Amino acid sequence: MVGRSRWPFVIAAALIAAPYLTATAQDLPQKTAQALANKALSDDWSYKFLESLTSEIGPRLAGTDAEARAAAWAVTRLKAAGMEVHTESFPMVAWLRGVETGAIVQPAPQRLVLTALGGSVATPPEGIEAQVVVFRTYAELLAAAPGSLDGKIAAVTEHMVRTMDGMGYGLANPIRRQGASEAARRGAIAYLLRSLGTDNHRLAHAGALNYANGLGKIPAAALANPDADQLERLSALGPVTVHITLTPTENKDAQSITVVGEIKGRETPDEVVLIGAHLDSWDLGTGAIDDGAGDAIVSGVGRLIAALPEHPKRTVRVVLFGAEEMGYSGKAYEKAHAREAAKIVMAGETDFGARRVYEMRLPAGATDSAFARTIAGLLPPLGVLLVPEPAQHGGSDIQEIGADGTPIVSLSQNGLDYFDIHHTADDTFDKVEAAELAQNVAVWAALTYLVAETGVDLRSPAKSAEKP
Ligand SMILES: [Zn+2]
């Protein structure tokens, strides 16, 4: 608050001390940022980009030929958008979906809608048939005694809570990530969970799991919400037997590809303003909101900045990360870019769909600064609030470089309905509103350009001291 109240005097002092430095010259970056945002709002390039990606490439499971085709497609697009483009490959274990079927065998035979979790091992080809033990909360599974699930299929039917900011997903994530190992620890031979999703459609939500070291790996799948309800109802009446067959396979020699487009800085090209999204997607839908929308947003920002009469002072780097969904992207990027870590002056990621941005959070080093006041002045017409609290999480692609000290920005999007279609067959292009996508491009363009042109230092004092 002190800094804010002092600011008018700083402007006044600057104007008095430098009469020949006109207000126009001082405001130029701000005016250009404003112009970029306005241009973005009336531009459908990103929307068309997303239409093409989701139609001409479609699903883009990490480490597959489809992801490689998406990368080649993106190279062409970013070059055409005026960027210098290269790719960065890294090894990964690709997981490939096989057959996936489920059914209640007793007491009332009927099909179950489910989908294997990414990374799940297969059942035997003939499947697994066993009594299911239903836990209405994850805590109940964790409280179950060792051996209490011997020979059983464990099913956790806890509901994920709908929130604007995705907090409900974050809190429910261990049910999908760690549930299979927790069930195996107690003797279970397979694991089911209610999809981490907020819809009530008969569509299961995919997503990756992580097996704990030293425990047996058991097959795991997510049930559509209504099918989890069905298991709850029937299990309340008596024993329920379920049959599941999952036949995924692995390719241990796969490669993922990250595509990078740059607008080289005109004064300090080694200083990098990084904005990213992930190019891989789950395979059930066409990866429109997750995360084709993010790819379209950051690529659109790169295109607008590349088209300016002169490049900004710093380099703007658009990164379309490979293999985010399988958990490789952030670590791979950190490893490959360890030597330039101190030169990445800002990192931001958009991976939360295509709805409007409503809040922006800056790195701790810039929350009360002249830069913050400049950007805050641009945001209200775009419907965005600059929140005084610093950014905590930027996203999984930039998590590792953020932990190493790279300043992270975070833009919150309206996520109220994001988890209705996230990771389902319903994640398709028709769900995206062109005007909302354009608003995202406008906000990211203004922020990215200002950081690149003004040379602002976003590092918190503590981090700057650690890494001069
Ligand atoms: Zn995503």
Side-chain angles (χ1 to χ4, degrees):
M1 288 307 283
V2 172
R4 198 164 301 149
S5 61
R6 213 170 47 206
W7 181 234
F9 301 105
V10 177
I11 295 175
L15 289 174
I16 293 162
Y20 299 108
L21 187 60
T22 65
T24 306
Q26 284 183 353
D27 294 346
L28 197 55
Q30 190 173 347
K31 286 207 163 73
T32 304
Q34 177 85 64
L36 281 172
N38 288 341
K39 195 163 184 207
L41 290 176
S42 59
D43 184 3
D44 66 355
W45 186 88
S46 290
Y47 188 66
K48 293 262 170 61
F49 176 105
L50 181 59
E51 181 178 31
S52 173
L53 174 63
T54 53
S55 309
E56 292 164 48
I57 307 298
R60 311 172 292 282
L61 199 60
T64 65
D65 289 348
E67 194 200 32
R69 279 200 305 279
W73 174 94
V75 166
T76 307
R77 294 292 163 137
L78 296 192
K79 275 185 185 162
M83 290 173 252
E84 287 179 39
V85 185
H86 71 272
T87 59
E88 301 176 9
S89 300
F90 53 91
M92 66 168 294
V93 178
W95 178 87
L96 308 162
R97 189 180 306 283
V99 169
E100 43 191 28
T101 60
I104 293 171
V105 181
Q106 290 290 341
Q110 56 192 289
R111 178 175 171 238
L112 284 172
V113 175
L114 52 71
T115 194
L117 296 188
S120 173
V121 294
T123 63
E126 70 277 13
I128 288 176
E129 189 166 309
Q131 195 179 327
V132 64
V133 180
V134 174
F135 298 94
R136 297 209 172 209
T137 67
Y138 187 52
E140 284 174 29
L141 168 65
L142 298 182
S148 62
L149 298 176
D150 282 350
K152 305 275 176 46
I153 297 173
V156 174
T157 58
E158 181 165 328
H159 288 257
M160 181 196 139
V161 177
R162 183 189 297 276
T163 64
M164 184 108 158
D165 63 359
M167 180 74 88
Y169 181 70
L171 293 177
N173 221 257
I175 306 173
R176 192 189 76 214
R177 291 270 174 198
Q178 293 143 34
S181 286
E182 293 299 338
R185 193 192 296 281
R186 290 159 179 83
I189 55 171
Y191 177 68
L192 299 171
L193 74 152
R194 179 190 293 276
S195 282
L196 301 190
T198 47
D199 61 300
N200 61 356
H201 292 169
R202 288 196 83 180
L203 293 174
H205 296 241
L209 56 62
N210 303 106
Y211 287 120
N213 291 331
L215 287 170
K217 295 180 177 180
I218 61 172
L223 295 160
N225 254 307
D227 297 75
D229 293 343
Q230 195 77 322
L231 273 191
E232 283 185 347
R233 281 188 291 266
L234 285 172
S235 67
L237 302 175
V240 176
T241 302
V242 160
H243 187 113
I244 62 167
T245 304
L246 309 171
T247 63
T249 54
E250 280 185 349
N251 174 6
K252 290 191 161 57
D253 302 316
Q255 293 271 319
S256 182
I257 305 166
T258 287
V259 179
V260 184
E262 289 190 326
I263 299 111
K264 286 273 160 47
R266 71 172 192 276
E267 286 187 12
T268 50
D270 59 331
E271 294 184 2
V272 174
V273 181
L274 186 159
I275 53 172
H278 67 85
L279 192 55
D280 67 305
S281 78
W282 283 107
D283 52 337
L284 302 176
T286 59
I289 66 157
D290 187 13
D291 183 24
D295 300 319
I297 292 163
V298 295
S299 300
V301 170
R303 170 178 166 268
L304 288 172
I305 293 176
L308 287 170
E310 63 175 5
H311 286 183
K313 291 176 183 168
R314 288 165 159 170
T315 292
V316 171
R317 180 180 296 169
V318 173
V319 184
L320 308 184
F321 292 93
E324 188 271 349
E325 297 292 3
M326 292 303 289
Y328 288 86
S329 59
K331 289 186 199 80
Y333 199 81
E334 181 201 35
K335 195 175 165 203
H337 294 267
R339 276 194 297 178
E340 67 162 359
K343 291 293 188 182
I344 303 178
V345 299
M346 180 198 98
E349 172 182 340
T350 167
D351 183 17
F352 202 54
R355 295 272 184 233
R356 295 180 70 89
V357 179
Y358 64 94
E359 281 181 355
M360 180 185 290
R361 286 177 167 78
L362 294 173
T367 50
D368 185 16
S369 64
F371 177 82
R373 287 180 283 280
T374 300
I375 189 82
L378 291 171
L379 295 178
L382 297 169
V384 180
L385 190 69
L386 182 68
V387 178
E389 287 76 37
Q392 298 289 345
H393 308 285
S396 56
D397 297 318
I398 57 172
Q399 191 169 298
E400 276 78 11
I401 60 172
D404 293 344
T406 296
I408 297 295
V409 294
S410 137
L411 273 59
S412 305
Q413 289 167 269
N414 175 359
L416 268 179
D417 63 359
Y418 181 68
F419 293 101
D420 289 350
I421 58 176
H422 175 255
H423 293 187
T424 72
D426 242 357
D427 180 3
T428 49
F429 178 66
D430 53 289
K431 311 303 184 303
V432 175
E433 306 282 348
E436 293 190 294
L437 191 71
Q439 185 254 8
N440 278 267
V441 180
V443 180
W444 278 104
L447 171 67
T448 305
Y449 173 76
L450 274 180
V451 173
E453 180 61 24
T454 62
V456 58
D457 180 6
L458 298 172
R459 281 173 200 271
S460 63
K463 295 286 184 193
S464 305
E466 282 166 23
K467 302 188 174 204

